Amino acid sequence: MTTAIEISTRGENDEIVVAKLNRPEVRNAIDEQMVTEFHELCAQLESDPRILIITGCTVDTPKGPRGIFASGADIAQLRERRREDALRGINSGIFHRIASLPAPVIAAVDGYALGGGLELALAADFRVSTPFAKFGQPEAGLGIAAAAGATWRLKECVGTPLAKEILLAGRILNGEEALANHLVSELHEPDALVDGALELAGRIAQQDPLAVRLTKQLIAMPDAAHPAVDNIAQAVLFESPAKFERMQAFLDRKK
């Protein structure tokens, strides 16, 4: 059986995992097979934390090859889902698991990131894209809600007014608009997109992994948990060997 996600590793110590969505025949529509494969990948990254890059593939069009991230949930499957399927949280569950991975996640987006495709990208800690990316949430036009994270993650990124335009009026942002509104942090040409994501991943990999891991968890904590959780995390880091090694290296460089 063809896999829905192609997995590869990068970096000197394989510290970066690249997950390439691989359903070009349906523009990387997110089906249950893809969800299952993401759960399998998450299980690996929870036990062996590494930076994850999620990217799309290239599809042939009448105008030539074009990039595609994910066109959304598989409508053929979505049409048949009922109340119990919604309560299972098929997509929201996997997107929450991706967002909760110990190490940072980067979404590298070219072409369409619509519906569940945008919600997948929103689950990442960082988004980089090409100018040709298209970000949108067409669910209301299909008689459903964007219930896999967009109603709250999107407004955290772009603010409530623009989130309402996207969610309620069907507005689609291109890459330039996404950059201007902080939905993505970098723009790259299509042939440099993955390299741009890898360069960002490389900068993250230069930091102390435990400090990055705990800081990601602190960012996700509710306001009421601070500053107590910050003190606890710092107490752990103050005793880590990496703290002494890195600070001593800094002091040695100053000399």
Side-chain angles (χ1 to χ4, degrees), residues 2 9 20 22 35 83 86 95 137 143 148-149 159 166 171 182 196 201 209 212 218 230:
T2 303
T9 57
K20 178 182 176 182
N22 186 39
V35 169
R83 177 182 60 198
F95 297 161
Q137 299 287 167
I166 296 168
R171 179 171 173 182
H182 309 292
V212 168
L218 290 174
D230 303 80

Side-chain angles (χ1 to χ4, degrees), residues 99-249:
S100 302
L101 285 171
V105 180
I106 302 168
V109 180
D110 188 21
Y112 290 113
L114 301 176
L118 176 49
E119 289 177 306
L120 172 58
L122 286 168
D125 299 287
F126 303 91
R127 284 160 297 281
V128 299
S129 84
T130 74
F132 312 105
K134 301 291 184 184
F135 299 93
Q137 299 287 167
E139 284 87 349
L142 296 170
I144 59 174
T151 55
W152 50 285
R153 288 194 177 109
L154 187 57
K155 66 183 182 182
E156 288 180 354
C157 291
V158 304
T160 299
L162 181 53
K164 286 182 177 179
E165 284 192 58
I166 296 168
L167 290 161
L168 305 180
R171 179 171 173 182
I172 294 176
L173 303 184
N174 61 31
E176 296 283 358
E177 293 169 317
L179 179 65
N181 288 283
H182 309 292
L183 182 56
V184 304
S185 57
E186 300 175 10
L187 288 185
H188 301 276
E189 290 302 311
D191 59 357
L193 178 63
V194 173
D195 285 342
L198 287 167
E199 196 277 333
L200 173 57
R203 298 202 304 270
I204 297 168
Q206 291 176 1
Q207 314 304 312
D208 174 48
L210 181 60
V212 168
R213 180 174 182 172
L214 291 182
T215 301
K216 177 175 175 175
Q217 292 178 351
L218 290 174
I219 292 170
M221 290 288 182
D223 290 348
H226 302 282
V229 292
D230 303 80
N231 295 340
I232 294 168
Q234 195 74 302
V236 172
L237 291 169
F238 271 12
E239 298 297 328
S240 71
K243 173 244 187 177
F244 293 97
E245 293 170 4
R246 287 171 173 263
M247 289 193 174
Q248 187 60 53

